[in-house]
Amino acid sequence: MAACAMSAGHAIAEPDYPSKTVSMIVSYPPGGDTDAIARLFADKLSQRLKQTVIVDNKPGAGGALGNNFVSRAPADGYTLLFTPNPFTTAPLVMKLSPSASYDVLHGFEPIINTATQPLVLVANPGLGVKTLPELIAAAKSGKSVTYASPGAGSPMHIVGEWLNRAAGVKITHVPYRGVGPSVTDVVAGHVDTAWVTFGAVRQYLQNGRLIPLAIGDAQRSKLAPNVPTLVELGYKDVVVGAWNGFFAPKGTPAPVVKLLNENLNEILKSPEVTEKLAVFGALPAGGTPDVLSKINASDYTVMGKVIKDLGITVE
């Protein structure tokens, strides 16, 4: 009759959780921003929980393989997912096999939205533009203009195509395999512009090797308060940012989710963590699990419509 004591789909939390190593799944390779931020949280969470928290990289299929792995893991709090927001859009732009598919809205327990990463449109000075209106004018004049993104179907690709439609231009998308290569090529002038996170281009904005034109968030960012938003520049509906957060398998006990949420919220208050997040162009977020749930659901609806309308797919 023990099973009757559990609410539908939920396990009973261990009174001494965590009593063993917690695995934090990162659906991307080591070395990138997501991996580095995950390791920061793993270290701080280990200290607070007095238990080992390890980062386990499971890359593949644009992050979908690792996401699928967590969705199928035991709902006991010992397998967590740390992910950026392509978690939400990957199933909308990719045809996923059964081994990589997952339910964005109902397959996980949201824990916390850890940080936001505003997206910035940067240009190589050699293009000869210093503002977004100048870039749009150049594209409308018939000049061939390109923009890089870290991959087809990424938030950077979505905002680039959304801006194309809103401005009535065709700035050609050049997809890369990651942020690093896209930044390298825009700095070298092989591609004219790029949508990226601030952390990836901070040094180039400081030394003038790249020029910031606009950010994709609805409001200006603390990271670059002098850079206007797309909304300010007349594209009132074009709002795309990046975020990251923690999820657990569906059915993870509420006390476990609460414990993790509380500890991660405290971690986000640390000046050290705020300073380290800023290196990656990220700002601490936090809040209840419901905050992440609403962000995820909103992205799924809004981005889903944009993706469908623009025909964005990943082959």
Side-chain angles (χ1 to χ4, degrees), residues 20-43:
K20 60 182 181 181
T21 297
V22 176
S23 293
M24 185 187 297
I25 306 302
V26 174
S27 303
Y28 298 89
D33 284 9
T34 299
D35 177 71
I37 295 173
R39 292 178 190 277
L40 170 63
F41 285 123
D43 177 59

Side-chain angles (χ1 to χ4, degrees), residues 147-158:
Y147 80 92
S149 85
S154 65
M156 295 78 158
H157 180 202
I158 294 169

